[in-house]
C-alpha cells in the first residue's frame, strides 16, 4: 500500500513539474503559461485580469459530476417559470405536434427487391395492413399511452434533459405488438451495488464489468461498443418504492437518442443548459419588481410630536397599536379633517416606484435566451407586437429549420427502429401475407417507409400559395415537396383527388342522362348545366309544364 501511495505521489509531482516547465506529457498537448499569439488563448481576461472559469476535464467527467444538478435546475424552471415552460411545450408542439404519420413504402420495383418477388397487389396489401395496424397502435385502448403520446413524451424528455431513453420490446398486447416506453434519464445510472437483474435473474457483476460502467452504460474498453444499459427498477428518489435495484438491459431493447456535441460524449446535455442562469435571473428580476411595486403602492403618514405629556401618553395607550413594535396605528379616510396640536406635524412617506426598465430588460434577456436555445423569440415570449410579415416569416423559417433537424433525429434514431421491430412482430404473429423465410430475402425492401411530420400553417395563405404555385411553374420545386412541408403526402392527395374527380364525372354523367330523358319526355331544351343538381332540373321541368298548361 505504501509503495502504491509513493507511486501516486511521484506521478502527481511529475505532472506538476511538467505543468510549470511547459514540457508536454506523452499523448497530450502542453499548456501556455506566458505570452500568447492568439488573444483567445490567454488564461486571463484582458480587461479585468480575472481567470477564465473554464474546465479542462473531459466532457464525460463534467457530465458525471454536474448532470444531476442541471436536471434539478431545469426541472425547477419547467415547473415554476412560464418562459421555460413555454420553450419546452412550444418545442414539443412544433416538432411533434399530434404525432408523425406512418407511410409504408414497400415497392415491388425497388432495386432492393428481386424481379417478380413481390407483386404490385401484394405490396399494396402489405402497405395497407402495416399502416392500419400502426394507426391502431397509436390509439391503443389497452395501454395508457399510444405511440403518438409516446412521441410527444420522448421529445419532451429531449427538451428537458437533452436525451430520450426508449425501452421497446415485443409485446403480446392485441393492439401494440411492440411496447414502447420512455424511461426517465435519472434511472439510467451506475448500479449502487454489484447485484443486478439479468434476464430476470439476480446476478453479481464482475469487477471488470463494474469498472467499465459509466453513467449507467457499460462499454467495451477497446471499441467503445455499448454492451449493456443499467436501469433502476424504481423511480429515482421515490418515497414509496425504495428498492434501488437495477436491471441490465440489452442494447437491442434500448434506444438512447441524444445530440452529440462533443466527441466521445455518452450522455445528453439539457437543451436549456446554456440559459439556465438567465432564465433564473429574469424570474428573480420580475419578482423583485413586483415587490417594489407593492411597496410603492403603500401610502403611509407619520405624526411627529416634539413634546409629550402624561395626557398624551394616556391617549396613545388608548388607541390601537402594532403588538410587534408598540407603534400607534391610525387610519386615514377620504374627506377627513384632522386638527393637529402646535407641536405636532405630519410626515408622508414617498416610496420610489421602480423605473420603466422592466419591459426593455426582459425583452433583451429573452432575446438572449432565444438565441441560446436556437428558438424563435416570438414563440418563446408569445410576443408578436412588433412582428411584420417579413420579420415573422424570417423568424419562423429559422425556427422551422431547427424543428426539422429535431424531427429527422426523432424519426431516424427512434421511430424507424421501432418500425423495424413492429413489422417483424406482425410477421411473427402471421398478420402479414409474408412468411418469415420470405421476409429475410425482402427485409430491406419490406422496411422501406416514411414518417411524415405534422405540417405548419402558412403565415399568409394567399401569398404562400401564390409563391408555391410560382415555384412549381418555374421548375424549382415539386408538388411532393410543397405538400410534405404541410405534413401531407402527394400520393395520398393525388389518390383522394382522383377519387373525387371520378365521383364528379359519375355525377355529371347521371345528370346528363336525366337531362336527356327530361328533354325527350317533355319536348323541351334545357340549358347546358352539367353541374346542376337533379332537383333543380326537375324544378325547371315542372315550371315549364305548368307554363304550357296555362297557355
Amino acid at each position: 500500500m505504501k509503495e502504491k501511495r509513493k507511486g501516486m505521489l511521484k506521478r502527481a509531482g511529475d505532472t506538476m513539474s511538467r505543468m510549470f516547465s511547459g514540457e508536454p506529457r506523452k499523448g497530450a498537448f502542453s499548456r501556455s503559461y506566458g505570452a500568447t499569439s492568439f488573444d483567445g488563448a490567454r488564461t486571463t481576461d484582458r480587461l479585468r485580469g480575472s481567470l477564465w472559469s473554464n474546465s479542462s476535464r473531459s466532457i464525460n467527467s463534467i457530465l458525471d459530476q454536474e448532470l444531476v444538478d442541471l436536471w434539478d435546475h431545469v426541472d425547477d424552471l419547467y415547473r415554476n417559470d412560464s418562459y421555460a415552460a413555454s420553450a419546452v411545450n412550444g418545442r414539443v408542439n412544433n416538432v411533434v405536434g399530434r404525432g408523425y404519420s406512418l407511410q409504408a413504402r414497400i415497392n415491388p420495383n425497388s432495386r432492393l427487391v428481386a424481379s417478380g418477388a413481390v407483386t404490385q397487389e401484394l405490396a399494396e396489401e402489405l402497405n395497407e395492413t402495416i399502416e392500419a395496424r400502426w394507426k391502431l397502435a397509436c390509439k391503443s385502448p389497452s395501454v395508457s399511452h399510444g405511440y403518438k403520446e409516446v412521441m410527444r413524451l420522448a421529445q419532451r424528455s429531449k427538451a428537458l434533459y437533452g436525451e430520450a431513453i426508449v425501452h421497446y420490446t415485443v409485446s403480446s398486447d392485441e393492439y401494440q405488438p411492440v411496447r414502447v416506453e420512455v424511461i426517465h434519464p435519472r434511472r439510467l445510472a451506475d448500479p449502487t451495488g454489484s447485484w443486478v437483474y439479468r434476464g430476470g435473474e439476480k446476478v453479481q457483476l464482475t469487477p471488470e464489468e463494474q469498472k467499465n460502467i459509466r453513467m449507467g452504460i457499460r462499454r467495451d474498453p477497446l471499441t467503445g461498443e455499448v454492451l449493456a444499459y443499467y436501469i433502476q427498477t424504481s423511480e429515482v428518489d421515490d418515497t414509496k418504492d425504495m428498492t434501488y435495484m437495477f436491471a441490465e438491459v440489452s442494447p437491442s431493447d434500448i434506444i438512447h437518442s441524444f445530440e452529440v456535441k462533443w466527441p466521445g460524449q455518452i450522455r445528453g446535455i439539457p437543451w436549456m443548459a446554456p440559459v439556465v442562469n438567465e432564465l433564473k435571473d429574469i424570474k428573480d428580476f420580475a419578482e423583485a419588481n413586483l415587490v417594489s411595486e407593492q411597496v410603492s403602492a403603500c401610502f403611509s403618514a407619520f405624526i411627529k410630536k416634539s413634546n409629550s405629556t402624561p395626557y398624551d401618553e394616556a391617549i396613545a395607550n388608548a388607541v390601537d397599536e402594532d403588538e410587534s413594535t408598540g407603534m400607534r396605528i391610525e387610519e386615514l379616510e377620504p374627506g377627513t379633517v384632522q386638527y393637529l396640536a402646535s407641536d405636532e406635524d405630519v410626515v408622508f412617506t414617498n416610496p420610489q416606484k421602480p423605473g420603466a426598465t422592466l419591459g426593455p430588460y426582459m425583452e433583451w434577456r429573452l432575446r438572449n435566451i432565444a438565441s441560446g436555445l436556437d428558438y424563435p423569440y416570438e414563440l418563446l415570449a408569445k410576443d408578436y407586437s412588433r412582428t411584420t410579415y417579413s420579420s415573422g416569416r424570417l423568424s419562423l423559417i429559422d425556427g422551422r429549420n431547427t424543428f426539422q433537424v429535431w424531427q429527422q433525429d426523432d424519426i431516424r434514431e427512434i421511430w424507424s427502429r421501432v418500425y423495424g421491430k413492429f413489422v417483424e412482430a406482425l410477421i411473427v404473429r402471421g398478420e402479414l401475407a409474408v412468411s418469415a423465410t420470405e421476409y429475410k430475402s425482402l427485409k430491406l425492401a419490406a422496411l422501406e417507409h416514411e414518417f411524415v411530420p405534422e405540417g405548419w400553417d402558412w403565415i399568409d395563405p394567399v401569398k404562400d400559395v401564390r409563391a408555391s404555385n410560382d415555384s412549381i411553374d418555374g421548375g424549382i420545386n415539386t408538388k411532393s415537396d410543397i405538400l410534405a412541408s404541410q405534413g401531407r403526402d402527394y400520393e395520398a392527395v393525388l389518390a383522394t383527388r382522383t377519387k373525387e374527380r371520378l365521383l364528379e364525372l359519375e355525377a355529371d354523367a347521371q345528370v346528363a342522362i336525366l337531362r336527356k330523358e327530361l328533354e325527350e319526355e317533355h319536348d323541351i331544351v334545357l340549358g347546358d348545366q352539367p353541374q346542376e343538381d337533379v332537383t333543380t332540373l326537375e324544378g325547371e321541368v315542372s315550371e315549364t309544364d305548368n307554363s304550357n298548361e296555362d297557355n
Side-chain angles (χ1 to χ4, degrees), residues 205-226:
L205 295 172
T206 65
E208 183 69 19
E209 289 174 331
Q210 287 182 286
K211 184 180 70 173
N212 294 325
I213 300 175
R214 188 168 198 178
M215 290 185 278
I217 306 172
R218 179 159 63 88
R219 293 175 176 269
D220 186 294
L222 297 179
T223 64
E225 177 186 0
V226 176

Side-chain angles (χ1 to χ4, degrees), residues 363 367 376-379 383-397 400 458-460 463-464:
E363 181 179 348
R367 289 189 181 277
Y377 161 78
E378 291 79 7
L379 297 183
D383 179 13
Y384 307 97
S385 58
R386 303 182 186 180
T387 304
T388 63
Y389 173 78
S390 298
S391 64
R393 184 179 178 84
L394 287 173
S395 177
L396 290 182
I397 286 175
R400 287 173 180 178
W458 278 313
I459 302 172
D460 188 327
K463 293 181 179 179
D464 286 335

Side-chain angles (χ1 to χ4, degrees), residues 183-194:
I183 294 175
H184 199 294
R186 292 178 187 268
R187 292 175 59 189
L188 178 62
D190 294 348
T192 52
S194 60

Side-chain angles (χ1 to χ4, degrees), residues 227-460:
L227 301 177
Y229 291 94
Y230 294 90
I231 308 294
Q232 185 170 327
T233 56
S234 62
E235 292 296 330
V236 177
D237 295 332
D238 189 84
T239 57
K240 188 173 183 179
D241 187 352
M242 296 177 284
T243 55
Y244 298 107
M245 279 299 294
F246 283 77
E248 183 180 279
V249 184
S250 169
S252 61
D253 294 333
I254 290 288
I255 299 173
H256 188 196
S257 176
F258 64 95
E259 183 178 1
V260 179
K261 297 184 177 180
W262 277 270
Q265 175 187 335
I266 64 172
R267 293 296 298 265
I269 300 173
W271 178 47
M272 289 190 287
V275 298
V276 162
N277 287 336
E278 288 195 83
L279 284 168
K280 178 65 173 167
D281 287 346
I282 62 171
K283 183 175 182 291
D284 293 344
F285 185 77
E287 290 179 352
N289 271 265
L290 176 61
V291 172
S292 180
E293 289 285 357
Q294 290 173 333
V295 171
S296 67
C298 296
F299 182 84
S300 304
F302 298 92
I303 304 296
K304 293 177 64 178
K305 190 174 181 65
S306 57
N307 300 310
S308 64
T309 65
Y311 175 78
D312 295 328
E313 294 178 0
I315 293 297
N317 293 329
V319 301
D320 294 336
E321 65 180 27
D322 189 330
E323 294 181 358
S324 62
T325 62
M327 302 295 293
R328 294 168 56 187
I329 300 175
E330 297 281 0
E331 293 183 355
L332 296 179
E333 296 181 358
T336 299
V337 177
Q338 181 71 40
Y339 293 94
L340 300 177
S342 59
D343 59 346
E344 292 180 338
D345 188 17
V346 178
V347 179
F348 293 96
T349 60
N350 184 26
Q352 296 296 318
K353 290 178 64 67
T357 59
L358 176 62
Y361 174 81
M362 292 287 285
E363 181 179 348
W364 171 66
R365 292 304 293 267
L366 285 172
R367 289 189 181 277
N368 287 345
I369 291 170
S371 298
L373 294 175
D374 198 10
Y375 190 81
Y377 161 78
E378 291 79 7
L379 297 183
L380 174 66
K382 297 296 186 288
D383 179 13
Y384 307 97
S385 58
R386 303 182 186 180
T387 304
T388 63
Y389 173 78
S390 298
S391 64
R393 184 179 178 84
L394 287 173
S395 177
L396 290 182
I397 286 175
D398 181 54
R400 287 173 180 178
N401 288 336
T402 303
F403 299 151
Q404 287 173 342
V405 171
W406 291 334
Q407 287 173 343
Q408 294 306 312
D409 287 345
D410 256 6
I411 293 169
R412 181 184 65 256
E413 297 176 2
I414 301 177
W415 296 105
S416 287
R417 292 176 63 182
V418 172
Y419 176 78
K421 187 170 286 191
F422 182 86
V423 172
E424 292 177 358
L426 292 180
I427 291 174
V428 172
R429 289 186 176 196
E431 297 188 31
L432 296 182
V434 177
S435 66
T437 304
E438 292 172 329
Y439 173 70
K440 287 182 179 179
S441 62
L442 302 174
K443 184 173 182 179
L444 293 178
L447 294 181
E448 287 189 279
H449 67 282
E450 184 176 354
F451 280 99
V452 180
E454 192 175 37
W456 296 292
D457 292 332
W458 278 313
I459 302 172
D460 188 327

Side-chain angles (χ1 to χ4, degrees), residues 51 53 59 75 77 90 110 131 144 191 371 390 427 458 546 549:
L51 289 173
S53 58
I59 183 61
D75 278 342
L77 287 172
S110 172
E131 290 177 5
S144 57
S371 298
S390 298
I427 291 174
W458 278 313
N546 292 336
E549 291 176 2

